[in-house]
Amino acid sequence: MTKPTVAAGPSTLLDVAREAGVSPSTVSRILNGTARVSDDKRQAVMKAIARTNFAPNLMAQGLKKGRTHTIGIIVQDISSPFFDETLHGVDDGLKGTGYASVIVTGHWSALEEADRIRLLLARKVDGIILLSGNLPDEELLHFATQRPIVVTGRALDAPNALGFTMDNEHGAYLAVQHLIELGHRRIAFVSGPPSHADASSRLRGYRKALEGAGIPVDPALVVEGNFHENSGLIAINHLFETRQEFSAVFAANDQSAYGVRLALYRKGVRVPEDVSLVGFDDLPGSAFTTPPLTTVRQPLYDIGLTAITALLRLITGDRVPTRVPPVELVVRETTLPRQ
């Protein structure tokens, strides 16, 4: 029996051609999908690739087609579990595609986001995903003339650019409506930065739910936060220092809710017996807090998966409608009827 040929060093296209009994050009056309050959010949080449451990040079192939098989991804906070879960969806969407990702951080700064996009364009990425951010649409559309761009956190539909958002206002409305139905009237709100579109939308949802129930909006119960745990702790301390009465707290995101929970614990206030608490996002850890957090679920994984699927379609010149599951209230153990 003839022993299969295996190259001593890295195998080449020529090694595969010899093993399969075809020309190097036939192997090349089969690899790039342009060959019109019989199934038997195609199978012979694929088996030869396996026997010789041949690894196609994707970069070289990509450069011939004007592609590098890399995707640029801009997150706002690399340490945030929000972006971590979204990136999980992006990563799963890249599996089996031959693409790799380059991740950079925008730090919620339009100037930094623009700088990072220029950096990624200089690296010849095939497309860019901007996860949230503050870069104006007109600048984003300018960059999209050079490479396809998908952005989350805003609605956008233009040539070579696509954006989609979640209904943050409705999600906040669901959270506050839940507390109102439990009999709460003095509901504090730890907001996000007013410069963030999703934070502004959640503030509108908070106000809408109160006004719809005939409950006056008390500005003293609204404390600006920064979407981080420390802002929840600071907000509760501020409410106590200013002697505000409240029986429930709605935090603009789960991370802020974690800080709220810690502050209440330190003051001897029980959750949910004394104060009910609702967050927003449904981060993976929120089901394991003490007690498990009632929150508004954003399909973070699906947001990432939808973004990368849409971008890969844009790269190939195809456009499909983006569909992401809606936000929903997840009731756990941090809310009770008002005592």
Side-chain angles (χ1 to χ4, degrees):
M1 180 180 294
T2 304
K3 189 175 181 179
T5 303
V6 179
S11 58
T12 66
L13 196 73
L14 183 58
D15 295 324
V16 175
R18 288 171 176 167
E19 184 70 19
V22 299
S23 68
S25 62
T26 298
V27 175
S28 179
R29 291 198 304 275
I30 288 175
L31 287 172
N32 63 33
T34 61
R36 296 180 179 179
V37 297
S38 66
D39 288 341
D40 288 345
K41 185 170 291 187
R42 188 182 304 275
Q43 287 298 320
V45 169
M46 300 312 293
K47 289 178 180 178
I49 289 173
R51 286 196 297 266
T52 58
N53 297 317
F54 174 68
N57 188 333
L58 293 177
M59 180 63 75
Q61 292 178 15
L63 288 174
K64 290 180 181 178
K65 299 178 183 179
R67 296 181 185 171
T68 61
H69 286 90
T70 55
I71 298 295
I73 304 172
I74 303 173
V75 301
Q76 301 305 322
D77 183 353
I78 200 68
S79 65
S80 168
F82 175 95
F83 291 107
D84 185 59
E85 186 68 9
T86 308
L87 286 172
H88 184 195
V90 173
D91 188 57
D92 279 358
L94 285 174
K95 288 180 180 176
T97 65
Y99 278 88
S101 61
V102 178
I103 301 172
V104 295
T105 310
H107 299 114
W108 293 107
S109 164
L111 289 175
E112 287 197 45
E113 289 165 23
D115 181 67
R116 299 301 180 270
I117 290 178
R118 294 188 190 96
L119 173 68
L120 292 169
L121 291 174
R123 295 178 67 92
K124 305 297 183 183
V125 297
D126 294 339
I128 294 172
I129 293 176
L130 175 61
L131 296 176
S132 299
N134 294 320
L135 192 67
D137 285 355
E138 56 269 23
E139 289 191 54
L140 200 62
L141 294 176
H142 168 72
F143 287 125
T145 62
Q146 302 175 63
R147 288 291 187 278
I149 294 178
V150 170
V151 58
T152 68
R154 74 184 79 176
L156 190 65
D157 189 359
N160 228 32
L162 189 62
F164 60 93
T165 185
M166 305 305 300
D167 195 340
N168 288 282
E169 181 176 330
H170 180 62
Y173 179 88
L174 292 176
V176 179
Q177 182 65 29
H178 170 63
L179 293 170
I180 292 172
E181 290 173 352
L182 291 174
H184 297 281
R185 294 296 180 269
R186 298 284 294 173
I187 303 171
F189 179 45
V190 182
S191 73
S195 60
H196 294 197
D198 49 0
S200 298
S201 295
R202 293 172 198 180
L203 177 58
R204 287 196 301 271
Y206 166 80
R207 289 173 172 163
K208 181 179 179 181
L210 291 176
E211 292 168 353
I215 302 172
V217 177
D218 185 350
L221 290 179
V222 179
V223 184
E224 184 180 319
N226 61 12
F227 281 155
H228 291 282
E229 292 84 352
N230 68 314
S231 69
L233 191 149
I234 292 170
I236 294 301
N237 290 339
H238 172 77
L239 290 171
F240 271 81
E241 289 167 2
T242 55
R243 300 183 181 278
Q244 301 300 322
E245 293 183 3
F246 57 94
S247 64
V249 179
F250 170 44
N253 70 339
D254 284 3
Q255 288 176 260
S256 297
Y258 301 159
V260 169
R261 175 69 185 90
L262 176 59
L264 293 172
Y265 166 77
R266 286 179 172 173
K267 293 185 178 299
V269 178
R270 300 172 299 169
V271 174
E273 292 84 358
D274 301 322
V275 171
S276 288
L277 174 62
V278 181
F280 199 113
D281 285 339
D282 194 23
L283 298 177
S286 294
F288 301 95
T289 57
T290 306
L293 181 66
T294 294
T295 185
V296 177
R297 174 177 293 157
Q298 284 204 87
L300 304 179
Y301 174 90
D302 294 289
I303 290 172
L305 185 60
T306 299
I308 187 59
T309 301
L311 182 62
L312 293 176
R313 292 292 186 89
L314 281 179
I315 290 172
T316 59
D318 189 14
R319 293 180 71 92
V320 293
T322 55
R323 296 184 179 89
V324 181
V327 296
E328 60 179 323
L329 180 69
V330 179
V331 179
R332 294 196 179 104
E333 299 171 38
T334 56
T335 52
L336 279 179
R338 183 184 177 190
Q339 302 299 312

